Amino acid sequence: MGINKLEDLKWHEHDIAIPKLSTNQAEFLFRFYRDLERVRIDTLSCFGNVISCIQRFSNERVAVKILPIPQDQIINGIPSSILNHASILKDLDHPNIVRLLQVVATEEDVYLVFENVNLNLERYITNPMLSIDTLERSVLRQALSGLAYLHSHNIVHADIDPFSILFKYTLEEPPVVKLCGIRAPKTSTSQGHPSYKAPELLMGSTNYSTAIDIWSMGCMFAHIIKRRPLFNAIEEHRVLAEIFCLLGTPTEETWPGVSSICKFIQAFNPPIQPKDLAEEFPTLEPVGLDLLSKMLCLCPNSRISAYEALDHPYLRH
Amino acid sequence: QVEYDPPNLHETQQFDESIGSVPPLLSDESLEALVEKECLHMPASDYVSRLKIGDLDLEGRMEAIEWIQKVGMHFGFGPLCVYLAVNFMDRFLAAVDMLKDKIWSIQLLAVASLYLAAKIDETVVPRSLDMKMNEEKYLFDNKTILKMELMILTTLNWRMQSITPFSFIDYFLNKLSNDPVPTEDSFS
C-alpha cells in the first residue's frame, strides 16, 4: 500500500515500504504525486531508492528516483555528475530502455521521473502465473536490442543483473523488456550482482568494455533457461571458481593477454577442461547453445557483440 | 531486422584499451544515431531569420558570444565547451521570449550557459562567481546564476549532451584519409 498525504508519513516510521524522505522531498513529492511506495527490487524485502507513485495531474503511475545534491556542493548548483547522468538518460529513446520522462530539480535534489514498469526478471521467472516458456527468445531479443542501442551510443551498462532487467506487461500483449539502472559513462564502477559479473572484472580488470554487458546478458539467458541463476556464489572469487568449473580455465591461447590481468591463471596447469553445455542445458536446442557459448566466451575480445547476437540464427526469425 | 557491419563494431570492443585513451571510432550505427539526435539539439528552424529581422537581439548575442570565447580562453576551456555554451544560449533564446529591454538577461544567460557547458565538458569547473572576469555587465550573484541554470535546464528539457560538429570529425577524417587509427590530434 502507498500513502497519499504528507501527514500520514508519521504513522509509517517503521514500515520499510514507506520511503524515507527529508521534509523538502516529502513536500515536493506530495504536491505532485500520490500513493507513494518504495519499489521492491527483489523477492525478499529489499527495497531500492526508487519510489513508485501516481502523478496527480495525469493519474499515471511513474517511478521517481531522488538524487540528493551533496550538502557541500549545493553552492555550485547542479553537480556535473548529476547533470551528465540526467542529460545522457534524457537522450535515450528506445522501446527496451526505461524512458526518462522528466527531470525536475530543486535547490537540494534532482528528481528523475521514469516510466513505470511492473516486475524485474527475478520475480518474473519465479512467478508461476506468468509463463515464460514461449517468451525465452523474445525476452533475450528485446534485452539485446536495448543493449545494442546503448552500445551504439558508446554507453556501457556495467550493472546488468536480474534487477536491472524489467518487464512492462498488459493483459493483452506480450511483456516488453525494459533495461534500467543506466548510469553515466566515466563514472562506472560495477555494482551489479557478482554472479552476473564478467570474468575479466572478477579477475580485477578495471576496463569496462561493452563485452562485460554481453557476459551479463549470457548469464541472464542461462538464468531464463534454467529458471535459476547460472552462478550462485556471492563472493567474487567463488563466482570465478564456478565460472572456471563450467567453462574451463582460460589460457594464453584461448585468451591472449590473460596472464597479464591475472597472475595466478598459470597455476592451473594443466588447465581445467570446459563442461559440455548441452548437458548443462538439456532443454536448449543446439542453435541456442551456440549463441549462449558465444555470449559466455571467457575472452572479452572474442565475445559476440550485441549486434552480432541479434543477427544470430537463434534470434533472427 | 538490424543491419550490421561486424568489422567496425569490433572497434568499440577493444579490451586492451586503457581507460582514458582515444575514444572508440564511431560505427555506422552510431553515426546514424548521432545524425538523428542532432536535430533535437538545434534551435528552432526560424531562429536565424528571427535574429536577422531584429525580432531577437542580434547584437546582444554577438557580444555575449565574444564574452563566452574570451572567458573560455581565460580558463583554458576546450573548443567543444565554448561551442556547447553558444548552443545552449541559442536554443534558450529560440524557445523563450526574453524581454528586450532587460539587457542584463542575455548576459546572465551567457554566464549560466558557459557554467553549464563547463560542467558537461570540462574536468575542472571554476566557481560561478569567478566567471564574471572583472566585467561589471557580467557580474551576478551566485543565487541568480543558479536560478538561471535551472531555468535553462528546464527550458532545454535537460537535453544537454548536444551533438556538435566535434562528434563527427573523427568519423569523417577517418573516411577521407583511410587512416585506420584516428587520434585526438584530429581535433586541434
Side-chain angles (χ1 to χ4, degrees):
Chain A
M1 59 142 281
I3 47 170
N4 291 309
K5 289 202 301 285
L6 192 52
E7 302 85 74
D8 292 348
L9 259 185
K10 60 175 181 289
W11 303 111
H12 297 278
E13 263 175 41
H14 302 292
D15 189 342
I16 50 171
I18 303 300
K20 305 274 173 289
L21 301 167
S22 74
T23 320
N24 283 340
Q25 288 170 350
E27 264 174 24
F28 172 84
L29 283 170
F30 284 106
R31 191 174 338 140
F32 298 108
Y33 303 97
R34 60 185 171 85
D35 288 326
L36 270 68
E37 191 176 359
R38 284 171 83 191
V39 175
R40 259 165 73 164
I41 60 168
D42 66 15
T43 43
L44 306 165
S45 345
C46 183
F47 291 86
N49 61 346
V50 177
I51 299 164
S52 169
C53 48
I54 293 175
Q55 225 161 9
R56 286 187 195 274
F57 73 89
S58 65
N59 281 331
E60 197 186 332
R61 191 165 271 283
V62 293
V64 178
K65 189 173 185 177
I66 306 176
L67 304 175
I69 300 173
Q71 276 297 322
D72 57 333
Q73 289 180 40
I74 284 180
I75 187 159
N76 297 322
I78 310 289
S80 58
S81 54
I82 293 180
L83 183 58
N84 274 299
H85 179 72
S87 57
I88 284 169
L89 289 183
K90 199 77 185 75
D91 270 340
L92 299 179
D93 182 11
H94 189 276
N96 300 120
I97 303 218
V98 173
R99 186 106 184 82
L100 176 59
L101 302 169
Q102 198 189 3
V103 188
V104 187
T106 63
E107 277 171 23
E108 284 156 17
D109 303 280
V110 176
Y111 301 84
L112 304 182
V113 184
F114 292 96
E115 68 174 317
N116 189 54
V117 282
N118 309 90
L119 280 184
N120 67 44
L121 179 71
E122 179 65 40
R123 292 175 80 189
Y124 196 90
I125 290 175
T126 50
N127 190 335
M129 299 294 286
L130 301 164
S131 159
I132 203 169
D133 289 341
T134 51
L135 297 167
E136 285 162 359
R137 274 175 225 241
S138 156
V139 168
L140 183 63
R141 190 186 296 119
Q142 293 184 59
L144 277 168
S145 121
L147 188 62
Y149 177 83
L150 283 186
H151 289 177
S152 77
H153 285 72
N154 284 326
I155 295 171
V156 175
H157 187 294
D159 282 335
I160 293 176
D161 63 15
F163 310 119
S164 58
I165 296 165
L166 307 173
F167 290 86
K168 186 166 191 154
Y169 61 86
T170 51
L171 283 175
E172 296 80 26
E173 284 161 54
V176 180
V177 175
K178 304 267 178 185
L179 296 185
C180 74
I182 299 146
R183 289 172 299 142
K186 293 178 204 165
T187 59
S188 297
T189 47
S190 179
Q191 295 161 347
H193 199 278
S195 65
Y196 268 60
K197 257 189 194 178
E200 61 269 27
L201 296 182
L202 295 172
M203 287 180 187
S205 166
T206 49
N207 195 324
Y208 293 92
S209 71
T210 53
I212 64 171
D213 290 340
I214 299 293
W215 177 276
S216 309
M217 277 292 179
C219 294
M220 182 209 78
F221 184 17
H223 191 153
I224 295 174
I225 301 293
K226 276 177 117 80
R227 303 288 190 278
R228 59 187 166 81
L230 177 60
F231 307 116
N232 298 295
I234 295 164
E235 299 96 338
E236 298 206 341
H237 65 279
R238 287 186 203 274
V239 179
L240 199 57
E242 280 185 282
I243 293 175
F244 289 162
C245 279
L246 179 67
L247 302 161
T249 39
T251 59
E252 273 298 318
E253 284 80 55
T254 60
W255 179 348
V258 66
S259 44
S260 66
I261 303 171
C262 178
K263 298 282 184 287
F264 66 79
I265 208 72
Q266 279 152 333
F268 291 98
N269 197 12
I272 301 173
Q273 290 306 308
K275 286 190 186 153
D276 185 3
L277 281 184
E279 281 174 25
E280 295 292 317
F281 298 90
T283 56
L284 187 58
E285 54 186 298
V287 64
L289 285 170
D290 182 69
L291 176 59
L292 182 63
S293 67
K294 284 176 171 154
M295 293 175 79
L296 294 178
C297 168
L298 288 174
C299 171
N301 279 350
S302 316
R303 216 170 285 152
I304 198 168
S305 74
Y307 275 100
E308 288 168 319
L310 284 171
D311 202 34
H312 188 279
Y314 181 70
L315 294 178
R316 208 182 294 155
H317 43 83
Chain B
Q1 191 68 62
V2 181
E3 295 292 326
Y4 77 101
D5 182 13
N8 257 334
L9 282 159
H10 280 291
E11 297 283 346
T12 56
Q13 285 221 307
Q14 276 307 316
F15 178 68
D16 299 322
E17 259 179 23
S18 64
I19 283 178
S21 65
V22 184
L25 183 60
L26 280 183
S27 67
D28 290 337
E29 292 79 33
S30 309
L31 182 78
E32 226 178 279
L34 282 187
V35 174
E36 269 173 37
K37 256 166 58 177
E38 193 185 14
C39 317
L40 297 169
H41 302 135
M42 287 197 216
S45 52
D46 62 346
Y47 178 60
V48 177
S49 51
R50 282 178 67 197
L51 274 174
K52 276 184 185 156
I53 59 168
D55 187 17
L56 293 165
D57 183 5
L58 182 62
E59 216 169 284
R61 175 182 176 273
M62 290 315 289
E63 203 181 287
I65 291 177
E66 260 171 49
W67 177 85
I68 286 175
Q69 282 174 325
K70 201 165 70 182
V71 177
M73 200 120 84
H74 174 82
F75 287 106
F77 292 161
L80 175 58
C81 175
V82 172
Y83 189 99
L84 282 178
V86 177
N87 173 268
F88 298 161
M89 195 175 78
D90 280 341
R91 284 162 64 200
F92 188 89
L93 284 174
V96 173
D97 275 321
M98 282 253 199
L99 299 170
K100 264 188 164 180
D101 48 335
K102 288 192 177 140
I103 306 217
W104 52 265
S105 58
I106 194 162
Q107 283 138 13
L108 176 59
L109 174 63
V111 176
S113 293
L114 186 60
Y115 192 42
L116 274 168
K119 283 182 182 177
I120 294 276
D121 189 54
E122 298 294 331
T123 39
V124 181
V125 182
R127 293 189 312 150
S128 64
L129 287 174
D130 295 335
M131 307 248 274
K132 62 183 190 294
M133 290 259 301
N134 296 326
E135 278 189 46
E136 278 306 303
K137 266 206 238 168
Y138 292 89
L139 178 59
F140 301 98
D141 68 42
N142 192 41
K143 237 188 159 134
T144 315
I145 297 173
L146 296 189
K147 266 195 188 135
M148 191 67 200
E149 177 182 77
L150 281 187
M151 209 158 139
I152 297 175
L153 286 170
T154 312
T155 308
L156 305 190
N157 213 353
W158 285 74
R159 290 183 175 276
M160 314 309 282
Q161 304 286 329
S162 301
I163 306 301
T164 67
F166 299 97
S167 321
F168 300 101
I169 286 179
D170 268 356
Y171 180 86
F172 288 115
L173 274 184
N174 187 61
K175 284 264 158 174
L176 287 174
S177 63
N178 285 326
D179 177 2
V181 188
T183 61
E184 275 196 328
D185 300 338
S186 33
F187 280 106
S188 41

